[in-house]
Structure formats: structure tokens, C-alpha cells
């Protein structure tokens, strides 16, 4: 009875159940929506706003009255960004933009930023994407055009672009940063609607800042990453050749930017937004002044602190790289940098100071110092080249010395000056400000001359002078690497060429060659004249050499080539000491093979276990996480390009070739007093093949190995040339006096 009753009413009960469920949903859903909105109010979505101001420098920013910039800088982190692209020299303006978006130093086709349009839905498309992709695949086959936009799309983040730098032709190059792999930016406005005719502005067209801000208000709520190209500074730089007073024009343009910046800061939620001011290219004026690749960068976070920018790419306070740009954006938004080789930019707050060290002039001063160091580096290398070339001619081309009636004493002083000058560069250089590179360069030269005279007077014997200068140079560089790396970069010969963007920290190949060469000749000379047992001498040489190897490992900033060179030299030195100098090509190849395998294993562990990989670790990681063959070819071609360039550019290629010819003659023992030298100075002679093969290994495994090998060879050939002429018949028991 009951079952039949329920059976008749079952449809009615089902319908009542459905109504009840919908009623519950209706009552509960407002509470759920309210809870979600409350949650969103508690944790608003983060945003990144990028203001693009092309072709300006810190000089331009500091020379104008810009109250909003001053306020921003006082509460932001500032520095210099290396914007080097793929080319050996600056190729075109578009490449600076594309490199920021791809996350590697890339080349873009000229005018590729001109054919950029938006459709009726607001979607922006780069029509030259196929040409861009084709060129990128030729240069960097393992990288995607539009990597920034692609990463954002995969993470569900919306990218928008506003503004342009149009003149009589379109210039929408910022699209090369923001686009995805298909050349698409989801929405924005790059049209002529954002421009205004102005006869008082160079070219007659400039940005309509009111229209641009109106579009910003419209798109800011919809975008997670918003690019804003103000455009006027790029227009002025393009018209610079026809402008009488370019500085005044840039000042007026920056004052309009400053007004817009004030509105922009008011429009964003500073607690949940990162504001980045980026400059993709240096101005023509900066390039003419010697700054080819460093531009201002400003980053404002929720913090009101100010300070300097850095990254694990550069490990230099106040300096970052363009490849760090995209990783910084995604690290802020989602806590991970994505598939980029660069590293997120880090922030170092600086305590308040009455000296104004946190003001914009600090970054400007740093830029000028780097430029001065660059010129000082050229001068220091020039002096070294002159001293080395003259010394080699006088020591190994007797007719030259005879013709000019050069005495033995003058040769001694010249060679000693070469060694003491290098020592002075490393000891005095870091103490100088390098704001006036000519004055500092003259000071180093004068101090080295005085030091040379004092060492000759105190030590009396030329071999003691060379030994002391070599050991002091080696110990100085080792002290920097182990205890205070920063001062090494303030020495012209230790300065890493940050403008080239090749290496920002650690030891340069120049200093690496000097370290290996000075350490070898210094310890071998010490063993030659030290009164102790043979085993104590061998222990001293090997122990000290191990310190050199340790200093030239990746944790201290050396590259793979430097580590291979140092380890190979120590193993060859061990062979020379314990096998009476018997070093054959087979043993050399065996040593290099063992060292190479060891280095690869260490680099693999670095890539596997270390979050902040060294150069070697990053190289191995890129090989193991991408197309191995393609990436390997890409890395090899990159290294070979620079290696080939260094072989072709004088003067070190000429010096190295000459020194190799001398070494080959020494090894064949043809008329250069080799046998007599071996009898007189057996410990130093044991280093002959070590220097030769070690220099060749440094040459082969370093992209600028030409310079490293030339310095390694120099530290043997100059002392050899002096000692073979004087005192060889005395078998090292009595050393010649310096006249």
C-alpha cells in the first residue's frame, strides 16, 4: 500500500527535490560570491606596468626638472641595464626591444616594428612575425620569438600595449617585447589616435599624453602586464641630426613624461603593482660618448625603500642585464621566472645617507666610472703591449738591441717595469675613483716606475725583482678572488667588459692569464733560490698551484675554460716535477681529457643541485633541458664567433704568434741557450713545457684565450730572455747585479 502510494507520488517528490536544491543554491550563492569578493579584496591581483622610454640616459634624467621622477627614484631601486643584443656591435633599434621579450640577446630584422596593427577587437598583431621567427631560428634555434607573451599566455596572464613612437613612419617596436609566439598581443592601442600634431616638436608629431592616460585608465584593470610606450624620447633621438639643441628637446619631452608619470603612479595600486621604467636602447649621444650598451632602469615595488638593483646574472650592485627583464616580471607575478636564462632582479635597500648616495647621481656616477674604467683598460693594455713588444724584440732579436746600443741593465729595467706595472695596476687601481681616466692612468704608470726603482734598489738582483713582482701580483689577485672580488673589477686589467655583456663578475680572461703566469714563474723562481729540500720545494709549488686552481673554479666566477686551463696546468706541473720534465703530446691530451670530463661532471652537479647556477651550470642545464644538439651547436657557434674575432683583432694575436714561434724554437733547442739555461736554472726550466702547453690550453678553451695565453707566455719568456743572457754560466749560484 505504502509502496504504491510512493510510486504514484515519485515524480512529484523528485520535482520538489530539484526545487529545494535550486532554492539552496539561490540562497547560498550570494554568500559564496561575497566570500570570494572579500577574498579578492584581501588579496588583489598583482600587476606589472612597464613604462618604455627609449634612447635616454641618466644624464638626461638628471639634467631636467622632473619632480615625479625624483619622487619615484627616492622610493625605488635604480641601476644600469646592459641592453647588448646578439650582434658584435649594435645592429638596430628593434633588436633592443626583441631581446627584452625573448629573454636572450637577439637580432631583429630592421623595421620589424613598423608593421604592427590592431583589429576591431583591440587585438594587436605584429605582421612581421614570420620574418622575425626565421631570423631568430637561424641565430638562436632553441628560443621562441615572443617568449614573454607566450609565457604570460600559458600562465593565464593578460598582456596589453599602449602607445607608439611613430614619426612619418610607424614605430611600434615595443610590440616586439609584449607579443606572443604568434606575434599577438591580446589587447591595447598603438594607433595614431594617441598622437598629436605639434610644429614645435622635432618631426611635428608627438604623443598626446592626455589620450594615452585615458587609454591607460581603460586597460589597466584588464591587464596583468601593461606596456606603455611614451615614444617622444625615441622620436627625438631619431631626429637628433637635425636638432640644434638636443638636450633641451629631451628635457622638454621628459617634462611631459614626468607629468604623465605622476598620473600613472596615482592610477596604480602601489601595494600590488610593480612599476618598471626601462630603456631598450642607448641614445646616439651616449654611444658617441663611449656608452654603447648601458641604460637607466628604475623599479618601484610596494616598499618605499630605495637602493640598488642586481641579479645573479651580474652579481654586481647597480647592474642588471636585459635578459633579467622577463624573469623579473614573472617572478613578481607568480613566484617563478619561467623558461628564461636570465635571473630575477634583486633589490638591495641602502640606508639613508646625508651624502645623497641613493640619489640618481649615484647611478649616473657608476655609469661614468664604468666608462672611465673602459678607457683605462684600453690604456693599461696599450702600455702592457708596448712594454712586452719592446722587451721581446730586445731579448730575442739581437740586431735590434745592437742597433740601438741597448745595455743589459736597460733590458733588466724594461722587463722589471713590465712586471711591476702589472702589479701596480692590480694593487693601486682598486683604490682610485676612475672619474678621470687619464689622470688615474698616469698615476698608475708613475707609481709603477717608482716601485720598480725601489725594488731594483732593495733586491739588487734582477731574478729577485721578477720573482717578487710575480708573487706579489699572484697573491694580490688570489686575495681578491677569495676575500674581496669587487675591487678586482676596479682594476683596469681585472675589469670585466660589462659593456660587451660577456662577463659581469669573477675574473676576466686577462687577469686569469696573468694569475696563472705570475703564479707559475713566481713559485718556480722561489724554488730555484730557496734553500730547502727538493720535496719541500715540490710541496710548495703544488700546494700553491692548488690554491690557484680553487680560485679559478666557477664558484669564484671563473668560466669553464679558466677552470680547465688551471687544472691542466697543475697536472702538467706535477708531471714536470715528478718525471723530470717529460711531457709529451699524448700526456697533454690525456690530462686535458681527464680535466674536461671532471669539469663536465662538476657542472652537471651544479646544474642539478644549485638553484643559483654558475656559468658552467647554466650551460649544462640549457643543454639538458632543451634540444641537446641544437643547443650545443648554438653554444659552440657563439663561442667560436668571439674566438675567431679575437684571433683576427690585433695586437695580442700578433704577440701570441710571435711568442709561440719563440717557444717552438726553445723546444727544438735551436740557438737560444736552452741547454745552458737548463743547467743554470733547473727549477725554472721545468716550467718550460708547462707554460707552453698551459698557454695553448688556455688559448683553446677560452673565447678570449688569445689574451690569456699571451700573458701566460710572457711570464716565462721575459725572465728566460733575461736569465739566459746573464748568469747562465754561473748555474744560478751568483746572480747578476742590476746596473
Amino acid at each position: 500500500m505504502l509502496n504504491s502510494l510512493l510510486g504514484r507520488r515519485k515524480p512529484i517528490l523528485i520535482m520538489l527535490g530539484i526545487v529545494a536544491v535550486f532554492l539552496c543554491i539561490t540562497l547560498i550563492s550570494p554568500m559564496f560570491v561575497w566570500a570570494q569578493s572579500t577574498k579578492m579584496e584581501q588579496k588583489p591581483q598583482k600587476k606589472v606596468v612597464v613604462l618604455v622610454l627609449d634612447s635616454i640616459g641618466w644624464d638626461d634624467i638628471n639634467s631636467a626638472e622632473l619632480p615625479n621622477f625624483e619622487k619615484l627614484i627616492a622610493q625605488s631601486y635604480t641601476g644600469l641595464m646592459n641592453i647588448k643584443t646578439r650582434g658584435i656591435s649594435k645592429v638596430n633599434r628593434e633588436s633592443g626591444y626583441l631581446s627584452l621579450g625573448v629573454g636572450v640577446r637577439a637580432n631583429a630584422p630592421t623595421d620589424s616594428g613598423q608593421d604592427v596593427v590592431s583589429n576591431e577587437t583591440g587585438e594587436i598583431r605584429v605582421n612581421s612575425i614570420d620574418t622575425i621567427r626565421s631570423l631568430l631560428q637561424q641565430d638562436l634555434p632553441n628560443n621562441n620569438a615572443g617568449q614573454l607573451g607566450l609565457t604570460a599566455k600559458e600562465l593565464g596572464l593578460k598582456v596589453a600595449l599602449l602607445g607608439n613612437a611613430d614619426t612619418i613612419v610607424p614605430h611600434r617596436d615595443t610590440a616586439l617585447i609584449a607579443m606572443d609566439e604568434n606575434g599577438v598581443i591580446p589587447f591595447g592601442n598603438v594607433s595614431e589616435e594617441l598622437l598629436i600634431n605639434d610644429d614645435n616638436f622635432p618631426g611635428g608629431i608627438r604623443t598626446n599624453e592626455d589620450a594615452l592616460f585615458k587609454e591607460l585608465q581603460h586597460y589597466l584593470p584588464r591587464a596583468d602586464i601593461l606596456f606603455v610606450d611614451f615614444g617622444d624620447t625615441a622620436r627625438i633621438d631619431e631626429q637628433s641630426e637635425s636638432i640644434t639643441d638636443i638636450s633641451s628637446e629631451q628635457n622638454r619631452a621628459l617634462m611631459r613624461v614626468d607629468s604623465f608619470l605622476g598620473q600613472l603612479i596615482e592610477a596604480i595600486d602601489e601595494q600590488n603593482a610593480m612599476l618598471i621604467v626601462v630603456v631598450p636602447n642607448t641614445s646616439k649621444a651616449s654611444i658617441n660618448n663611449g656608452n654603447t650598451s648601458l641604460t637607466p632602469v628604475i623599479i618601484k615595488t610596494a616598499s618605499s625603500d630605495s637602493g640598488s638593483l642586481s641579479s645573479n646574472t651580474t652579481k654586481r650592485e647597480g647592474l642588471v642585464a636585459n635578459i633579467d627583464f622577463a624573469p623579473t616580471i614573472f617572478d613578481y607575478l607568480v613566484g617563478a621566472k619561467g623558461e628564461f636564462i636570465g635571473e630575477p632582479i634583486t633589490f638591495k635597500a641602502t640606508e639613508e645617507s646625508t651624502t645623497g648616495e641613493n640619489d640618481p647621481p649615484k647611478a649616473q656616477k657608476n655609469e661614468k666610472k664604468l666608462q672611465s674604467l673602459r678607457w683605462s683598460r684600453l690604456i693599461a693594455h696599450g702600455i702592457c703591449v708596448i712594454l712586452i713588444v719592446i722587451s721581446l724584440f730586445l731579448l730575442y732579436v739581437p740586431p735590434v738591441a745592437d742597433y740601438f746600443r741597448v745595455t743589459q741593465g736597460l733590458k733588466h729595467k724594461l722587463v722589471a717595469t713590465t712586471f711591476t706595472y702589472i702589479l701596480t695596476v692590480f694593487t693601486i687601481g682598486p683604490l682610485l675613483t676612475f672619474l678621470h681616466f687619464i689622470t688615474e692612468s698616469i698615476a698608475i704608470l708613475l707609481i709603477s716606475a717608482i716601485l720598480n726603482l725601489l725594488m731594483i734598489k732593495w733586491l739588487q738582483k734582477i731574478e729577485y725583482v721578477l720573482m717578487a713582482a710575480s708573487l706579489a701580483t699572484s697573491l694580490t689577485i688570489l686575495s681578491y678572488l677569495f676575500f674581496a672580488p669587487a675591487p678586482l673589477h676596479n682594476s683596469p686589467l681585472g675589469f670585466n667588459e660589462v659593456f660587451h655583456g660577456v662577463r659581469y663578475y669573477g675574473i676576466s680572461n686577462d687577469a686569469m692569464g696573468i694569475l696563472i703566469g705570475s703564479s707559475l714563474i713566481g713559485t718556480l723562481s722561489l724554488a730555484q733560490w730557496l734553500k730547502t729540500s727538493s720535496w719541500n720545494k715540490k710541496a710548495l709549488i703544488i700546494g700553491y698551484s692548488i690554491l690557484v686552481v680553487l680560485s679559478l673554479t666557477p664558484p669564484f666566477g671563473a668560466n669553464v675554460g679558466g677552470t680547465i686551463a688551471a687544472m691542466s696546468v697543475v697536472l702538467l706541473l706535477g708531471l714536470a716535477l715528478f718525471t723530470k720534465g717529460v711531457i709529451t703530446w699524448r700526456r697533454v691530451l690525456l690530462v686535458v681529457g681527464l680535466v674536461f670530463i671532471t669539469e663536465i661532471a662538476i657542472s652537471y652537479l651544479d646544474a642539478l643541485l644549485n638553484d643559483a647556477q654558475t656559468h658552467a651550470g647554466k650551460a649544462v642545464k640549457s643543454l639538458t633541458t632543451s634540444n641537446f644538439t641544437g643547443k650545443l651547436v648554438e653554444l659552440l657557434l657563439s663561442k667560436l664567433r668571439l674566438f675567431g674575432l679575437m684571433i683576427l683583432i690585433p695586437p695580442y694575436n700578433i704577440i701570441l704568434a710571435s711568442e709561440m714561434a719563440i717557444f717552438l724554437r726553445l723546444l727544438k733547442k735551436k740557438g737560444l741557450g736552452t741547454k745552458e739555461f737548463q743547467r743554470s736554472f733547473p727549477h725554472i726550466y721545468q716550467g718550460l713545457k708547462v707554460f707552453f702547453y698551459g698557454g695553448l690550453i688556455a688559448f683553446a678553451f677560452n673565447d678570449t684565450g688569445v689574451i690569456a695565453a699571451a700573458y701566460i707566455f710572457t711570464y716565462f719568456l721575459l725572465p728566460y730572455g733575461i736569465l739566459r743572457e746573464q748568469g747562465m754560466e754561473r748555474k744560478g749560484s751568483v746572480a747578476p747585479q742590476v746596473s
Side-chain angles (χ1 to χ4, degrees):
M1 180 72 179
L2 180 60
N3 289 336
S4 62
L5 181 63
L6 290 173
R8 289 194 299 269
R9 295 183 178 181
K10 189 173 183 179
I12 298 175
L13 292 175
I14 291 174
M15 292 193 62
L16 288 175
I18 293 173
V19 171
V21 170
F22 273 102
L23 182 61
C24 290
I25 292 174
T26 304
L27 293 174
I28 294 173
S29 59
M31 298 175 62
F32 178 80
V33 172
W34 176 83
Q36 286 292 91
S37 64
T38 302
K39 182 178 180 182
M40 290 299 292
E41 288 177 1
Q42 292 174 347
K43 292 186 178 180
Q45 188 174 0
K46 291 182 177 180
K47 294 181 181 294
V48 173
V49 178
V50 181
L51 177 60
V52 179
L53 300 175
D54 205 5
S55 305
I56 61 169
W58 279 113
D59 285 344
D60 299 306
I61 295 174
N62 296 325
S63 63
E65 293 293 330
L66 308 174
N68 290 310
F69 264 104
E70 291 178 6
K71 181 180 178 181
L72 173 66
I73 291 169
Q75 300 177 349
S76 301
Y77 297 88
T78 61
L80 297 166
M81 176 178 284
N82 183 289
I83 47 85
K84 190 75 176 66
T85 61
R86 179 75 171 170
I88 298 298
S89 59
K90 190 72 178 69
V91 179
N92 54 32
R93 170 171 150 180
E94 292 84 354
S95 296
Y97 289 84
L98 183 66
S99 296
L100 290 169
V102 176
V104 295
R105 298 183 181 93
N107 283 338
T110 301
D111 300 332
S112 54
Q114 291 188 7
D115 193 5
V116 179
V117 297
S118 56
N119 57 28
E120 61 278 0
T121 65
E123 181 184 81
I124 299 171
R125 182 174 292 275
V126 179
N127 290 328
S128 57
I129 183 63
D130 290 336
T131 306
I132 296 171
R133 189 186 294 117
S134 176
L135 180 59
L136 190 65
Q137 285 301 306
Q138 292 178 22
D139 291 341
L140 303 163
N142 297 289
N143 295 275
N144 295 313
Q147 184 63 45
L148 189 150
L150 171 62
T151 303
K153 183 169 64 176
E154 292 174 343
L155 294 171
L157 301 172
K158 295 295 183 181
V159 181
L161 168 61
L162 302 174
N164 62 64
D166 292 1
T167 53
I168 56 175
V169 295
H171 281 294
R172 290 143 189 203
D173 307 312
T174 302
L176 304 181
I177 310 176
M179 67 181 182
D180 64 15
E181 80 284 8
N182 298 313
V184 174
I185 303 166
F187 46 80
N189 188 349
V190 295
S191 70
E192 298 177 358
E193 298 173 0
L194 303 177
L195 305 178
I196 188 171
N197 294 321
D198 186 347
D199 294 335
N200 295 320
F201 187 83
I205 302 172
R206 66 173 177 83
T207 293
N208 184 337
E209 54 264 37
D210 293 333
L212 183 62
F213 182 69
K214 183 178 179 181
E215 289 295 281
L216 183 141
Q217 289 177 305
H218 174 69
Y219 284 103
L220 184 60
R222 302 169 57 188
D224 300 296
I225 307 172
L226 176 62
F227 290 90
V228 182
D229 183 1
F230 198 85
D232 282 354
T233 55
R235 294 185 180 98
I236 290 173
D237 191 66
E238 185 176 346
Q239 301 285 331
S240 60
E241 295 179 0
S242 61
I243 299 174
T244 304
D245 189 352
I246 189 170
S247 179
S248 296
E249 290 294 346
Q250 283 286 29
N251 285 353
R252 284 193 285 270
L254 283 170
M255 289 173 69
R256 288 193 297 272
V257 175
D258 188 71
S259 177
F260 176 81
L261 178 64
Q263 294 178 297
L264 171 60
I265 293 173
E266 289 293 327
I268 64 177
D269 177 6
E270 293 186 57
Q271 295 302 311
N272 297 285
M274 173 184 282
L275 173 61
I276 305 176
V277 179
V278 67
V279 181
N281 295 281
T282 50
S283 65
K284 294 176 183 176
S286 294
I287 294 173
N288 292 335
N289 291 330
N291 178 8
T292 56
S293 55
L294 297 181
T295 63
V297 58
I298 305 169
I299 299 183
K300 174 74 174 73
T301 63
S303 171
S304 60
D305 294 333
S306 62
S308 299
L309 300 170
S310 184
S311 76
N312 194 50
T313 299
T314 65
K315 295 184 180 178
R316 295 278 295 270
E317 184 177 347
L319 184 65
V320 297
N322 53 355
I323 61 175
D324 300 326
F325 173 76
T328 302
I329 290 176
F330 294 109
D331 184 67
Y332 173 77
L333 292 175
V334 299
K337 71 171 188 174
E339 295 299 321
F340 294 95
I341 63 171
E343 299 291 339
I345 293 173
T346 56
F347 313 101
K348 181 181 179 181
T350 307
E351 295 181 1
E352 293 184 5
S353 172
T354 57
T355 61
E357 289 183 345
N358 297 327
D359 294 338
K362 181 181 180 182
Q364 183 181 12
K365 188 175 180 180
N366 189 33
E367 178 184 333
K368 291 185 179 300
K369 180 176 181 178
L370 291 173
Q371 286 181 256
S372 291
L373 272 168
R374 191 181 198 187
W375 289 113
S376 300
R377 171 183 167 85
L378 292 175
I379 293 173
H381 277 283
I383 293 173
C384 283
V385 166
I386 292 171
L387 291 172
I388 292 170
V389 169
I390 294 176
S391 298
L392 289 174
F393 264 102
L394 294 179
L395 293 172
Y396 293 98
V397 188
V400 173
D402 295 339
Y403 179 81
F404 289 101
R405 298 179 181 178
V406 177
T407 64
Q408 295 294 338
L410 184 57
K411 292 180 184 178
H412 295 170
K413 290 173 183 176
L414 183 62
V415 172
T417 299
T418 305
F419 282 24
T420 54
Y421 176 76
I422 294 174
L423 170 62
T424 307
V425 171
F426 282 108
T427 53
I428 303 299
L431 304 178
L432 302 176
T433 60
F434 284 101
L435 296 180
H436 308 284
F437 66 90
I438 295 178
T439 303
E440 280 89 353
S441 298
I442 293 173
I444 290 174
L445 187 58
L446 291 176
I447 293 171
S448 68
I450 295 171
L451 177 62
N452 184 45
L453 293 174
L454 291 175
M455 291 181 70
I456 289 174
K457 180 179 179 180
W458 291 338
L459 298 176
Q460 296 294 311
K461 302 174 183 179
I462 182 61
E463 56 263 49
Y464 290 176
V465 173
L466 299 182
M467 177 186 68
S470 299
L471 283 176
T473 301
S474 172
L475 287 169
T476 299
I477 298 175
L478 286 176
S479 298
Y480 289 144
L481 292 174
F482 285 128
F483 306 112
L488 183 64
H489 306 141
N490 294 331
S491 170
L493 292 177
F495 172 66
N496 287 311
E497 181 55 282
V498 295
F499 291 90
H500 289 167
V502 178
R503 176 175 298 277
Y504 300 98
Y505 65 93
I507 189 169
S508 64
N509 282 340
D510 318 8
M512 182 264 288
I514 292 171
L515 173 60
I516 292 176
S518 63
S519 300
L520 275 176
I521 197 63
T523 53
L524 290 172
S525 298
L526 185 61
Q528 179 66 47
W529 292 292
L530 193 64
K531 303 299 182 182
T532 185
S533 69
S534 175
W535 282 103
N536 286 340
K537 292 178 180 181
K538 292 176 181 178
L540 170 67
I541 295 171
I542 296 298
Y544 191 87
S545 300
I546 291 174
L547 284 178
V548 175
V549 171
L550 181 61
S551 73
L552 290 176
T553 53
F556 292 97
N559 58 13
V560 175
T563 307
I564 291 175
M567 293 177 67
S568 299
V569 164
V570 170
L571 292 177
L572 291 174
L573 187 59
L575 285 175
L577 293 176
F578 294 100
T579 63
K580 297 182 180 180
V582 180
I583 299 177
T584 63
W585 272 107
R586 289 184 178 180
R587 290 186 176 184
V588 172
L589 293 176
L590 178 62
V591 164
V592 173
L594 290 174
V595 168
F596 186 76
I597 293 172
T598 303
E599 176 63 22
I600 294 298
I602 294 172
S603 301
Y604 180 76
L605 291 175
D606 180 36
L608 191 66
L609 304 175
N610 190 5
D611 292 332
Q613 290 99 7
T614 62
H615 301 290
K618 286 184 178 181
V620 170
K621 185 175 181 180
S622 65
L623 288 171
T624 56
T625 58
S626 60
N627 179 356
F628 180 85
T629 303
K631 192 64 179 179
L632 181 61
V633 171
E634 178 187 320
L635 290 172
L636 289 176
L637 289 177
S638 176
K639 293 293 183 182
L640 288 173
R641 188 193 291 85
L642 185 55
F643 182 77
L645 186 66
M646 292 303 300
I647 291 177
L648 296 175
I649 295 178
Y652 281 103
N653 57 347
I654 299 173
I655 293 175
L656 180 61
S658 302
E659 291 180 328
M660 286 182 67
I662 297 171
F663 260 110
L664 290 174
R665 190 173 176 185
L666 289 176
L667 292 171
K668 293 180 180 179
K669 300 180 180 180
K670 290 187 176 181
L672 288 178
T674 311
K675 293 182 179 179
E676 293 80 1
F677 186 87
Q678 182 179 6
R679 288 194 296 267
S680 300
F681 306 103
H683 289 87
I684 297 177
Y685 179 80
Q686 284 181 312
L688 172 61
K689 291 186 177 180
V690 177
F691 270 95
F692 178 67
Y693 290 117
L696 290 182
I697 294 169
F699 168 72
F701 284 93
N702 291 275
D703 43 23
T704 55
V706 173
I707 301 177
Y711 276 115
I712 290 174
F713 286 169
T714 296
Y715 269 94
F716 181 84
L717 292 179
L718 295 193
Y720 178 88
I722 288 290
L723 296 177
R724 79 180 177 92
E725 288 187 353
Q726 294 288 333
M728 287 188 295
E729 74 284 356
R730 304 176 186 181
K731 298 182 181 180
S733 59
V734 179
Q737 300 291 317
V738 180
S739 56

